[in-house]
Amino acid sequence: MMPIWTKSGKKHAVTLLKVQDCHVLRYISKEESGGKTSQLLVGGKNASPFYKSESAMEIFKEAGVPRKQKVTTFNVTDDAIIKPGTPLYAAHFRPGQFVDVTSKTIGKGFQGVMKRWGFKGQPASHGQTKTHRRPGAISTNKAAKVYRGKKMPGRMGNIYRTSFGLKVWRINTKHDIIYVNGSVPGHTNCLVKVKDSKLSTYKDCNKNPPFPTFFADGDEKLPEDLYDEEIFQFTDPSVTYA
Amino acid sequence: SYRISSDGEPAKFQPPPKPVIIDKQKQKGERRFLSPEFIPPRGRTDPLKFYIERKDMIQRRKVFNIPEFYVGHVLAVTTADPCANDKVNRFVGICIQRGGKGLGATFVLRNVIEDQGVEICYELYNPRIQAIEVLKLEKRLDDNLMYLRDALPEYSTFDVNMKPVSHLDHEEIPVNKLQVRMKPKPWSKRWERPKYNIKGIKFELPEKKMKAAQKWSQPWLEFDMLREYDTSKIEEKIWKEVSEELKK
């Protein structure tokens, strides 16, 4: 995570996400997937092919791509279908867009009820016998049972969670890095899924994105760094107020 | 006047010997100072992140000069402030702490203005900073002068309109071996304990208390090999990279 300053002098914290060897693996039609839209299978970071069975490697062989560590599905409209085997780059997103980032949260292991669910526990003194971090009562007398889904101690973390509506401040096309506002679930160097935001407030913010995606061998030659309009770039002189 | 040699003939004109000019600047050699925020902390982060951060830091240093300074220097910082009359805010103080790595590096300046101690934490790479001037160059015995909060206020007062003290580039930065006198206890932290390792305070506590404080010493810490973080090679590489980029 890094600080970033706007032209008005405000500081924001920013997470760096690296797009490492992303390829489109397969196209799944609407009938095959059984949903409302067709889907595209996309794979991230390269990994060793020796630790998976032959049947699992079939998808990668068809696309002509090394084995990927993580494979995710994206629901796409029919006009945004991409041929399997095309690489995806960070320039797919542009500064000023809003994204949702999904990832597995940091695993905390078996945790008690205070850390896992935020219960208040009991006082430290004034006669409490061996009861300082316990849940207390778990149900009423009339119910005569404990309801399903009662908040109790258990394994915490290592589940998929999403941060919605994160602004993209900057894109580095040379190293394929996306600078995303705020924090993102997961530990450092973990694998993450970045999608266009589903929030209704940001429906109109994605003006003219590269559609269906940014092709590296196309005609468009982008500069090494793409900045949002409000970012303070370090080549400018210091900020002053009139 | 010409001397007559043993032959009886006048001696040939000998020009006076050329003066030997010793350039002290070149003799001492260039002083290498790498600002501590360039050194990456120990961890499992990708070095690419530090490389990109360094590029941004060097870019900012090319446009805005951040002078070499240590803890104990007296600095004057002018920042752009939308609420001030002239939109510019100038603060003079002694640097008591330098923290943070990368773009978020900070330094804390302390001064006593009208009997009120004021500490301001500035970010080195904040674009609102207009100028940083070093008024007095002197290192102190410690890396962290937080104990000045519990010292007598005279040690933290510096004139706001102080003139910069001149300093030649090639001279070593002088170390001020000042032993500071403290206010009566209680202090904000127990500075006599060995964990803070402070050499710049004149402790006027009884011997018994000083001995009792040594109970908290951890002499095994300096032999702990897992805590070792040898930055010499990393520093060399980063120093080369940074100095080459700045010269361009």
Side-chain angles (χ1 to χ4, degrees):
Chain A
M1 286 196 71
M2 230 173 31
I4 233 178
W5 285 274
T6 55
K7 290 197 170 136
S8 54
K10 270 199 164 171
K11 183 165 105 149
H12 297 269
V14 139
T15 314
L16 309 196
L17 306 174
K18 181 163 164 84
V19 178
Q20 201 168 9
D21 317 313
C22 284
H23 285 93
V24 176
L25 297 177
R26 206 159 68 132
Y27 161 68
I28 304 171
S29 60
K30 215 195 304 190
E31 294 78 35
E32 209 182 316
S33 66
K36 291 185 189 168
T37 45
S38 42
Q39 289 171 343
L40 279 182
L41 272 181
V42 172
K45 192 167 147 186
N46 288 345
S48 158
F50 300 117
Y51 296 93
K52 282 276 176 180
S53 55
E54 284 293 319
S55 49
M57 295 291 291
E58 267 174 25
I59 308 175
F60 303 111
K61 277 193 196 151
E62 266 180 72
V65 137
R67 181 211 148 192
K68 300 291 182 187
Q69 181 106 26
K70 189 166 178 65
V71 175
T72 48
T73 43
F74 286 91
N75 291 335
V76 237
T77 45
D78 284 321
D79 51 356
I81 302 169
I82 310 173
K83 188 178 168 186
T86 44
L88 300 172
Y89 298 99
H92 178 97
F93 295 102
R94 289 297 150 92
Q97 284 182 348
F98 287 82
V99 285
D100 298 337
V101 178
T102 315
S103 164
K104 273 201 164 175
T105 49
I106 299 178
K108 312 261 175 184
F110 195 102
Q111 286 301 335
V113 108
M114 274 178 88
K115 191 182 191 68
R116 197 177 182 212
W117 299 112
F119 284 15
K120 277 178 81 177
Q122 290 81 25
S125 72
H126 287 304
Q128 311 292 321
T129 34
K130 297 161 41 169
T131 322
H132 306 287
R133 298 181 68 93
R134 298 181 76 189
I138 51 176
S139 190
T140 49
N141 182 24
K142 196 167 179 194
K145 68 169 187 175
V146 176
Y147 293 115
R148 188 195 312 272
K150 174 85 193 70
K151 292 181 180 175
M152 283 186 161
R155 266 205 195 153
M156 179 180 166
N158 201 26
I159 44 174
Y160 283 105
R161 283 287 187 256
T162 316
S163 308
F164 296 100
L166 304 178
K167 181 168 174 178
V168 171
W169 283 110
R170 178 175 157 181
I171 303 238
N172 186 321
T173 37
K174 187 174 163 200
H175 297 281
D176 277 334
I177 299 182
I178 310 176
Y179 289 57
V180 146
N181 190 34
S183 58
V184 141
H187 56 88
T188 38
N189 303 337
C190 79
L191 289 159
V192 129
K193 176 177 171 179
V194 184
K195 274 171 78 160
D196 292 319
S197 191
K198 73 172 222 266
L199 300 177
S200 46
T201 35
Y202 303 130
K203 244 195 309 195
D204 313 313
C205 277
N206 302 344
K207 316 163 209 163
N208 309 323
F211 195 82
T213 189
F214 171 74
F215 296 105
D217 47 352
D219 303 324
E220 228 183 324
K221 291 288 170 206
L222 289 176
E224 191 188 324
D225 272 304
L226 290 161
Y227 294 93
D228 186 49
E229 300 149 345
E230 285 167 49
I231 269 195
F232 169 80
Q233 300 183 31
F234 287 113
T235 40
D236 305 331
S238 307
V239 162
T240 44
Y241 299 101
Chain B
S1 61
Y2 45 103
R3 301 176 203 141
I4 304 169
S5 60
S6 46
D7 300 13
E9 293 155 10
K12 210 173 149 195
F13 170 65
Q14 296 273 338
K18 272 193 180 158
V20 179
I21 307 168
I22 308 168
D23 194 354
K24 277 197 183 162
Q25 207 164 15
K26 286 190 185 159
Q27 212 179 40
K28 291 279 167 92
E30 199 192 281
R31 185 173 53 223
R32 308 166 112 207
F33 169 70
L34 185 64
S35 211
E37 73 264 7
F38 279 102
I39 302 163
R42 199 158 78 141
R44 288 166 66 178
T45 340
D46 202 353
L48 178 67
K49 186 242 179 190
F50 299 123
Y51 171 69
I52 287 178
E53 230 179 339
R54 250 177 283 139
K55 269 202 330 197
D56 275 340
M57 284 151 79
I58 292 169
Q59 195 51 255
R60 173 74 179 153
R61 275 177 185 252
K62 280 190 191 169
V63 175
F64 172 73
N65 171 43
I66 299 175
E68 168 189 346
F69 69 98
Y70 300 84
V71 166
H73 284 218
V74 178
L75 305 179
V77 173
T78 37
T79 33
D81 192 1
C83 317
N85 278 346
D86 296 321
K87 308 294 174 196
V88 160
N89 188 345
R90 187 185 142 101
F91 186 73
V92 173
I94 184 171
C95 175
I96 53 176
Q97 179 186 274
R98 279 188 83 162
K101 299 280 180 201
L103 279 173
T106 55
F107 61 101
V108 182
L109 292 185
R110 179 184 166 81
N111 202 345
V112 171
I113 299 176
E114 291 179 20
D115 295 331
Q116 172 64 52
V118 178
E119 282 182 18
I120 303 188
C121 177
Y122 288 105
E123 286 152 354
L124 273 175
Y125 295 96
N126 196 333
R128 289 195 0 228
I129 298 185
Q130 311 290 321
I132 305 180
E133 301 134 28
V134 180
L135 298 178
K136 193 164 170 202
L137 280 103
E138 67 172 13
K139 279 204 236 191
R140 294 285 192 103
L141 291 166
D142 305 301
D143 248 349
N144 204 310
L145 297 178
M146 285 294 182
Y147 56 80
L148 288 179
R149 292 171 180 169
D150 299 314
L152 298 170
E154 65 195 30
Y155 295 102
S156 316
T157 32
F158 293 93
D159 183 22
V160 186
N161 305 316
M162 188 160 118
K163 292 286 151 81
V165 167
S166 67
H167 171 84
L168 297 161
D169 257 341
H170 62 262
E171 271 173 15
E172 294 260 350
I173 301 183
V175 179
N176 190 354
K177 306 208 171 157
L178 174 67
Q179 299 263 306
V180 152
R181 288 187 58 210
M182 306 290 274
K183 290 194 244 181
K185 269 203 162 195
W187 298 331
S188 60
K189 296 254 176 317
R190 294 172 217 246
W191 303 112
E192 74 275 8
R193 293 218 175 149
K195 105 168 191 202
Y196 298 106
N197 195 19
I198 291 180
K199 295 167 192 138
I201 302 184
K202 185 170 182 169
F203 290 109
E204 278 149 13
L205 300 166
E207 270 292 324
K208 217 171 137 184
K209 294 237 159 124
M210 295 302 290
K211 270 181 115 178
Q214 289 303 316
K215 244 195 332 184
W216 278 268
S217 71
Q218 295 168 311
W220 58 85
L221 269 189
E222 67 171 303
F223 302 108
D224 195 340
M225 291 178 78
L226 282 182
R227 274 175 210 263
E228 279 169 14
Y229 183 40
D230 189 21
T231 50
S232 48
K233 289 186 189 150
I234 306 171
E235 267 190 59
E236 286 274 335
K237 269 198 245 172
I238 297 177
W239 162 255
K240 260 198 233 169
E241 197 189 310
V242 169
S243 53
E244 269 171 27
E245 283 284 327
L246 281 175
K247 274 179 198 161
K248 282 188 196 169

